[in-house]
Amino acid sequence: MKIELFGKNYDPSDALKQITEKKSEKLARRLKGDPDATAKFNVTLEGDKYTTDLLVVTRSIEYRAENTSDDPFTNVDIVIPKILAQMEKQKDIWGASKKGTPNEYPEEDK
């Protein structure tokens, strides 16, 4: 999984880059079947507030989360679980059985 960290009106520090890569390991474990998956972190500084947008792009779907606070490190701790929750919900939807009863056909005698 590729991890990209961008800053707008803010230059991301090396510490933020390291923590972002470490915390993104949870996402990488979830997306281990997709080598082309990409996680894009956009950190924006507006006044004294940091806004972190996380966009995870896979083969079949995109996940997005956003958080605003006084600390960019806190934002990383919040947006990654949001994405993981979206992935879990999507997994539940795709794995759910269809409503109704399954079709059963009697075997024919030959």
Side-chain angles (χ1 to χ4, degrees):
M1 183 171 98
K2 294 177 239 165
I3 300 170
E4 300 173 359
L5 182 62
F6 302 102
K8 182 178 177 185
N9 299 333
Y10 173 72
D11 187 26
S13 65
D14 291 334
L16 182 61
K17 290 177 185 177
Q18 290 175 353
I19 288 177
T20 301
E21 289 176 3
K22 184 178 179 191
K23 300 277 182 174
S24 296
E25 290 176 7
K26 291 180 183 178
L27 292 172
R29 281 194 305 257
R30 182 62 65 97
L31 298 170
K32 64 184 172 192
D34 188 3
D36 296 330
T38 305
K40 297 179 183 180
F41 289 86
N42 292 318
V43 181
T44 306
L45 176 62
E46 295 176 3
D48 60 343
K49 298 283 185 182
Y50 293 92
T51 301
T52 302
D53 294 320
L54 172 57
L55 179 67
V56 177
V57 180
T58 65
R59 278 182 272 165
S60 58
I61 196 164
E62 294 181 355
Y63 303 96
R64 184 180 177 282
E66 177 181 342
N67 192 50
T68 302
S69 71
D70 297 331
D71 184 25
F73 298 96
T74 304
N75 289 342
V76 172
D77 291 336
I78 294 173
V79 295
I80 290 178
K82 284 183 179 181
I83 294 290
L84 290 171
Q86 290 176 22
M87 289 179 178
E88 187 66 29
K89 184 176 179 181
Q90 190 68 35
K91 178 182 162 190
D92 290 345
I93 290 172
W94 284 347
S97 62
K98 305 291 182 199
K99 291 184 178 180
T101 59
N103 293 334
E104 295 180 10
Y105 301 104
E107 293 185 23
E108 295 181 11
D109 293 331
K110 290 186 177 184

